[in-house]
Amino acid sequence: MKRLSLLTLTMMLVLGCQRSDANPVDAAAQPNAPGHESSDFTRLTACYDADEWTCAVETEIVRLTNVKRATSKLVKLDQVFESSYIARGHSKSMTPDNISHNGFDQRFETLQKELPEVWRGRAGENVAYFSSRSEDPEAVAAELVKMWWNSKGHRDNMMNKDYVYIGVGITRNSDNLVFATQMFH
């Protein structure tokens, strides 16, 4: 168990992945800006294709991330459940030997193509994993957010003022390894 914890901490030293298009998005178009309607298009309104525990962990990660952002008076991130579904797919593809941002561009290109209304011109991603037998969604979410918060690159993604949307996807395998992906846009 100590070896796995050390490995987890080592993995967290890897910086979060970021991408930016040449033209930044006009701040007036942000969802919390005056005159912006967050229901300009039909979106999923709840966690999709996951069990109750998974949805609860993902929701709590979004909440805790927004708590961190509030300390710097940043806009609350709006959860995009389509992004969470895409992020969960990436989490399911990871293994302890392959915790990566592989497919980053493809994930965001899919989002941009399928839901251009939530594409902000900038994107970032955090990934992590750790071992947990906990059935408490709040405890699992708190550990993941703490891991990201303690890594400068991951924290920078969480606190990026240009992001207004978030998707979070987690999965736990039969060895009790929890894999998580945060998508920011």
Side-chain angles (χ1 to χ4, degrees):
M1 186 67 138
K2 286 184 181 180
R3 184 178 181 153
L4 186 56
S5 295
L6 180 59
L7 178 62
T8 300
L9 290 175
T10 302
M11 293 308 301
M12 292 311 301
L13 294 177
V14 177
L15 297 179
C17 189
Q18 295 185 5
R19 176 177 135 183
S20 173
D21 287 347
N23 298 320
V25 176
D26 183 345
Q30 293 186 9
N32 294 339
H36 178 82
E37 296 298 324
S38 63
S39 60
D40 290 341
F41 53 93
T42 303
R43 290 193 349 217
L44 291 174
T45 58
C47 186
Y48 176 73
D49 198 26
D51 61 53
E52 184 178 337
W53 182 85
T54 298
C55 293
V57 174
E58 291 172 359
T59 299
E60 183 64 4
I61 288 171
V62 172
R63 188 188 76 75
L64 292 172
T65 300
N66 280 324
V67 166
K68 295 287 191 187
R69 289 175 63 85
T71 63
S72 294
K73 298 183 179 15
L74 293 173
V75 171
K76 178 182 171 187
L77 297 172
D78 184 24
Q79 185 172 12
V80 176
F81 293 102
E82 292 84 353
S83 295
S84 293
Y85 179 75
I86 294 168
R88 193 176 318 117
H90 180 60
S91 294
K92 288 178 179 179
S93 75
M94 290 190 287
T95 67
D97 297 328
N98 183 27
I99 179 129
S100 72
H101 297 283
N102 291 346
F104 174 80
D105 288 334
Q106 292 84 355
R107 283 187 291 288
F108 284 99
E109 286 168 7
T110 297
L111 183 65
Q112 183 178 7
K113 179 181 173 189
E114 299 299 326
L115 284 169
E117 296 86 356
V118 299
W119 178 246
R120 310 304 299 163
R122 297 184 183 274
E125 178 176 84
N126 289 342
V127 296
Y129 84 98
F130 76 108
S131 178
S132 176
R133 293 176 191 247
S134 176
E135 293 301 320
D136 180 0
E138 291 177 359
V140 172
E143 181 62 24
L144 287 162
V145 170
K146 181 176 106 180
M147 291 166 62
W148 284 317
W149 189 254
N150 289 333
S151 164
K152 183 183 180 331
H154 294 97
R155 184 175 54 251
D156 288 350
N157 275 342
M158 293 168 69
M159 301 301 283
N160 188 318
K161 66 178 177 55
D162 295 324
Y163 299 147
V164 294
Y165 296 113
I166 187 172
V168 177
I170 69 113
T171 189
R172 179 165 47 189
N173 70 16
S174 60
D175 294 327
N176 291 309
L177 294 178
V178 178
F179 294 87
T181 305
Q182 284 182 311
M183 293 174 61
F184 302 95
H185 47 105

